[in-house]
Amino acid sequence: MYLVFTTNYFPWLTIIVVFPIAAGSLILFLPHKGNKVIRGYTIYICILELLLTTYAFCYHFQLDDPLIQLAEDYKWINFFDFYWRLGIDGLSLGPILLTGFITTLATLAAWPVTRNSRLFHFLMLAMYSGQIGLFSSRDLLLFFIMWELELIPVYLLLSVWGGKKRLYSATKFILYTAGGSIFLLIGVLGIGLYGSNEPTLNLETLANQSYPGALEIIFYIGFLIAFAVKSPIIPLHTWLADTHGEAHYSTCMLLAGILLKMGAYGLVRINMELLPHAHSIFSPWLMIVGTIQIIYAASTSPGQRNLKKRIAYSSVSHMGFILIGIGSITDTGLNGAILQIISHGFISAALFFLAGTSYDRIRLAYLDEMGGLAIPIPKIFTIFSILSMASLALPGMSGFVAELIVFFGIITSKKYFLMPKILITFVMAIGMILTPIYSLSMSRQMFYGYKLFNTPNSYFFDSGPRELFILISILLPVIGIGIYPDFVLSLSVDKVEAILSNFFYR
């Protein structure tokens, strides 16, 4: 293995990708019983990584340029011409910053974890590297390697630090995601080996390559299955509720905040950019599945007794809006989908954190056993209520803007006739009516009534400074994006226009 530098720039992205896992491996040399040292070290690494990423993007990234920036291209394995290709554009900028933000807060949320603390924090940092590596990959095989790098950390985080059914949910997670990865690998190899005289996995080269119609559809279906598992898209979503129901809440923050977004990102980055003709064929089906998903998950959610499973089904419902935005093939719809990716990352991570901190206090996971929590823990009640409103798309919050832009995307789409557009908009509106039902009933069951309030010794500590800091850190961007969505849209708007003008409007 050797590196050949083909760029004159400082390797910002390589440092950003490698730093967390490299620094994480040093945790193994820290003292065995030094939990405070390990936690402090991990948080310090996360903050340093986030500052490094922010600095690199602020001073070395041009927002008005839709082309790949900070590009790095090093030869890695000479035997089969494998390159370490990294680069970012407006599409990957938001998810990378979201990853840094949520991972730092999830590490702070994991403060109570004391069992096998070194392994736990190393796995979180390994996930950090894999996620940033995936969002900045410009080589299909490297994309696949980073995609797979997630599996082992999540499996271990689930099976070691999960609830009573942790082994069942961890096994289900690995079977689903490894099954999806097989389709991804077949698609990567097929698309790389086809066409040109020399096999290539460079995303820029592949974006300008055309394929026979039938072959493009086969590639598209392979990638779609892989991304459908991760997103998750029904009917490949059943692992999600079990995984969230059993995982520690800091793991849930990473899963809901970042892991699900990798599937949506793959749909845009590979299915839309590399296979535009197949995407225009499949986009009506994506719209239909997205619409069904919104209604199905919003209808199923009230039947979930477990608090974290109810929030998990709300995630499935909100991912439907992302599918519809991607399927609309309009600038507005795709920008709305990208905004929903960022917005839902913040809101879902905060809700899972609140669910976990509530469980830490009352040791109850089922909603019908709860009640009357508003009086003993008013701070948690207040922030939970605000974030429930954000989840049901209250105006002034990020979810409202994202869903509204997706609506405009469908209405302005030139691809669809008027009647299908009216029908999809109508069904989406029904989904948005169902969302307050499960969201507000969840708050009512937890916080109102008299169950816990009447029991003796029902005094709980309310949120401490650490928990309040995490919640306010998430709440500020949710309100900030709701009031000024251009903050996120300005990152991706030029890239979205470039994707659609290059492939769909020509």
Side-chain angles (χ1 to χ4, degrees):
M1 194 198 306
Y2 66 93
L3 300 177
V4 178
F5 283 79
T6 55
T7 176
N8 298 321
Y9 298 114
F10 186 74
W12 284 110
L13 290 178
T14 299
I15 290 168
I16 288 165
V17 169
V18 173
F19 178 64
I21 196 167
S25 58
L26 298 176
I27 289 177
L28 305 173
F29 301 103
L30 293 175
H32 274 273
K33 292 186 178 177
N35 279 327
K36 277 190 177 176
V37 175
I38 290 162
R39 289 180 301 209
Y41 175 78
T42 311
I43 289 166
Y44 174 72
I45 294 301
C46 287
I47 292 169
L48 197 61
E49 169 79 353
L50 185 57
L51 290 173
L52 191 68
T53 310
T54 311
Y55 171 80
F57 292 174
C58 283
Y59 290 98
H60 300 279
F61 187 86
Q62 304 297 321
L63 275 180
D64 52 357
D65 184 359
L67 299 174
I68 295 300
Q69 299 180 50
L70 297 175
E72 296 172 32
D73 193 350
Y74 317 138
K75 195 153 202 181
W76 188 357
I77 302 170
N78 197 39
F79 179 65
F80 57 91
D81 234 23
F82 179 33
Y83 287 81
W84 173 268
R85 284 194 189 95
L86 298 174
I88 56 164
D89 54 21
L91 195 61
S92 43
L93 201 60
I96 289 174
L97 292 170
L98 177 74
T99 302
F101 194 78
I102 297 295
T103 307
T104 306
L105 294 178
T107 311
L108 194 56
W111 199 260
V113 175
T114 52
R115 185 161 59 93
N116 292 344
S117 185
R118 293 194 300 170
L119 178 61
F120 183 90
H121 288 93
F122 169 71
L123 293 172
M124 289 189 92
L125 288 172
M127 279 182 75
Y128 197 173
S129 274
Q131 286 157 346
I132 290 186
L134 179 112
F135 292 131
S136 54
S137 291
R138 300 304 304 159
D139 184 278
L140 266 183
L141 194 57
L142 186 62
F143 182 95
F144 174 76
I145 289 168
M146 294 299 176
W147 182 270
E148 291 296 281
L149 191 60
E150 296 294 300
L151 294 188
I152 296 168
V154 177
Y155 177 77
L156 289 173
L157 286 168
L158 267 172
S159 57
V160 180
W161 292 273
K164 289 177 185 173
K165 293 183 179 176
R166 59 184 182 273
L167 290 175
Y168 166 76
S169 61
T171 307
K172 194 171 183 179
F173 168 80
I174 205 90
L175 287 174
Y176 267 81
T177 44
S181 297
I182 291 166
F183 289 96
L184 181 62
L185 180 61
I186 292 167
V188 165
L189 295 176
I191 212 167
L193 296 171
Y194 178 81
S196 56
N197 298 327
E198 286 197 10
T200 181
L201 292 158
N202 186 344
L203 277 168
E204 271 80 45
T205 312
L206 293 171
N208 297 313
Q209 196 163 296
S210 56
Y211 309 92
L215 190 66
E216 188 166 337
I217 288 168
I218 291 167
F219 286 152
Y220 190 94
I221 292 169
F223 285 121
L224 183 62
I225 292 168
F227 301 140
V229 172
K230 206 81 141 194
S231 287
I233 298 170
I234 58 171
L236 302 172
H237 68 290
T238 54
W239 63 271
L240 185 78
D242 290 312
T243 302
H244 278 306
E246 299 303 320
H248 186 267
Y249 55 86
S250 58
T251 311
C252 287
M253 288 172 75
L254 294 177
L255 284 169
I258 309 160
L259 200 80
L260 307 189
K261 311 303 174 281
M262 288 163 58
Y265 174 81
L267 270 176
V268 180
R269 177 64 78 200
I270 292 179
N271 286 39
M272 273 194 89
E273 270 202 88
L274 303 191
L275 308 164
H277 302 298
H279 183 73
S280 60
I281 295 167
F282 277 90
S283 57
W285 295 104
L286 286 182
M287 300 268 278
I288 292 164
V289 171
T291 311
I292 293 168
Q293 185 159 327
I294 291 168
I295 296 289
Y296 162 78
S299 309
T300 314
S301 188
Q304 301 298 319
R305 290 175 61 228
N306 186 305
L307 172 60
K308 287 205 284 185
K309 284 190 178 181
R310 186 172 290 196
I311 298 169
Y313 269 98
S314 79
S315 288
V316 177
S317 180
H318 286 106
M319 294 305 281
F321 286 98
I322 296 172
L323 269 187
I324 290 169
I326 292 169
S328 69
I329 313 188
T330 58
D331 288 14
T332 317
L334 189 51
N335 276 310
I338 292 163
L339 189 60
Q340 177 74 337
I341 287 172
I342 305 297
S343 162
H344 183 258
F346 286 122
I347 295 168
S348 59
L351 285 172
F352 278 113
F353 176 68
L354 282 162
T357 51
S358 304
Y359 178 79
D360 278 353
R361 284 159 172 77
I362 59 176
R363 291 289 156 190
L364 295 172
Y366 293 100
L367 283 159
D368 47 15
E369 297 170 349
M370 299 180 195
L373 285 173
I375 293 166
I377 46 174
K379 290 176 194 167
I380 290 178
F381 162 63
T382 306
I383 297 178
F384 201 106
S385 301
I386 294 168
L387 284 158
S388 297
M389 296 295 172
S391 180
L392 61 83
L394 187 80
M397 303 282 190
S398 58
F400 171 75
V401 187
E403 290 176 18
L404 187 70
I405 294 173
V406 170
F407 267 109
F408 280 132
I410 300 166
I411 293 162
T412 57
S413 178
K414 294 171 186 169
K415 183 176 170 62
Y416 302 101
F417 295 117
L418 183 63
M419 277 312 291
K421 287 199 281 194
I422 291 170
L423 193 64
I424 285 172
T425 310
F426 177 71
V427 178
M428 278 173 73
I430 294 171
M432 290 182 82
I433 294 164
L434 291 171
T435 307
I437 294 172
Y438 68 73
S439 195
L440 296 175
S441 71
M442 179 169 71
S443 293
R444 178 182 57 78
Q445 285 176 281
M446 276 184 77
F447 296 108
Y448 297 93
Y450 300 99
K451 280 182 193 165
L452 284 167
F453 184 53
N454 282 339
T455 55
N457 306 320
S458 65
Y459 179 74
F460 311 110
F461 289 104
D462 205 354
S463 278
R466 176 182 61 88
E467 293 167 337
L468 277 176
F469 174 77
I470 292 168
L471 291 166
I472 290 166
S473 297
I474 295 179
L475 197 56
L476 288 174
V478 169
I479 296 168
I481 293 167
I483 294 167
Y484 187 67
D486 260 16
F487 178 65
V488 173
L489 291 172
S490 61
L491 304 178
S492 62
V493 68
D494 289 311
K495 178 61 185 176
V496 164
E497 201 178 316
I499 291 174
L500 293 173
S501 59
N502 283 353
F503 302 110
F504 293 102
Y505 297 156
R506 68 185 175 196

